[in-house]
Amino acid sequence: MSDLHHAHGHGHDGHHVDHDEHLHAHGSLKDYGIGFILSVILTAIPFWLVMTHQLQPGTTKYVILAFAAVQVVVHMIYFLHMNTKSEGGWNFMAMLLTIILLAIVMVGSIWVMMHMNANMMPHMSNDGSAVHDMQ
C-alpha cells in the first residue's frame, strides 16, 4: 500500500488514532446543549437583576462581573473543550492563565472606573444613586 494509506489512520508517533476518541474530543450535542443552556441562564439572571432593580447598584455591578466570569469558564469548558484531560493538561493550564488574567482585568477595570468616577465627577457618589436620580 502507499505511504498515504498507512499514514491516514496513524498519529504523529505512528500509533493508531481512534476516530471515535477524536470525535469525542470535539464535544457532543449534549455538551453543546448544556453549555448553551448555562450561557442563557448566566445571561438572563444578570439582565433580570438590572431590569428589575433587585439589588443596590453597587452590588449589582459585582454580581454581573461574577456572572460574566462564570460564563467565560462555561464557554471554555463546554465550547472550547478545555479540561484536564485534553492536550495532556496544557488546555487546563491555559484555562488557569485565562482565569488569572480575567481576574486582573476585572479588578483593574473596577479600580479604574471607581477612580475615574471620583476624580472626573466629584459631585457624584460612587453608589450610582445619581444615575437613578436622573430617571
Side-chain angles (χ1 to χ4, degrees):
M1 292 188 189
S2 70
D3 289 336
L4 180 63
H5 179 71
H6 288 291
H8 177 68
H10 294 78
H12 297 294
D13 58 356
H15 291 88
H16 184 69
V17 176
D18 186 8
H19 293 287
D20 291 335
E21 182 179 313
H22 180 69
L23 291 175
H24 181 67
H26 290 289
S28 65
L29 187 59
K30 179 183 174 186
D31 288 338
Y32 287 119
I34 291 170
F36 176 74
I37 290 169
L38 287 174
S39 296
V40 169
I41 291 169
L42 292 170
T43 301
I45 291 173
F47 184 78
W48 174 77
L49 288 172
V50 169
M51 295 306 290
T52 60
H53 303 288
Q54 293 293 316
L55 302 173
Q56 296 295 322
T59 306
T60 302
K61 63 184 164 189
Y62 294 112
V63 170
I64 290 172
L65 284 173
F67 273 91
V70 171
Q71 191 166 34
V72 166
V73 174
V74 166
H75 284 226
M76 289 190 316
I77 291 171
Y78 287 100
F79 299 120
L80 297 177
H81 314 293
M82 290 184 165
N83 58 34
T84 57
K85 299 173 195 161
S86 63
E87 300 292 330
W90 284 106
N91 277 345
F92 184 71
M93 294 301 286
M95 183 169 61
L96 288 178
L97 177 64
T98 302
I99 291 169
I100 291 168
L101 292 175
L102 178 67
I104 290 169
V105 168
M106 286 174 32
V107 170
S109 296
I110 291 171
W111 183 75
V112 166
M113 286 188 280
M114 295 301 281
H115 282 81
M116 280 181 54
N117 190 27
N119 293 329
M120 301 295 285
M121 303 168 138
H123 63 280
M124 296 182 77
S125 64
N126 285 340
D127 64 358
S129 61
V131 174
H132 291 292
D133 293 340
M134 286 189 221
Q135 295 176 353

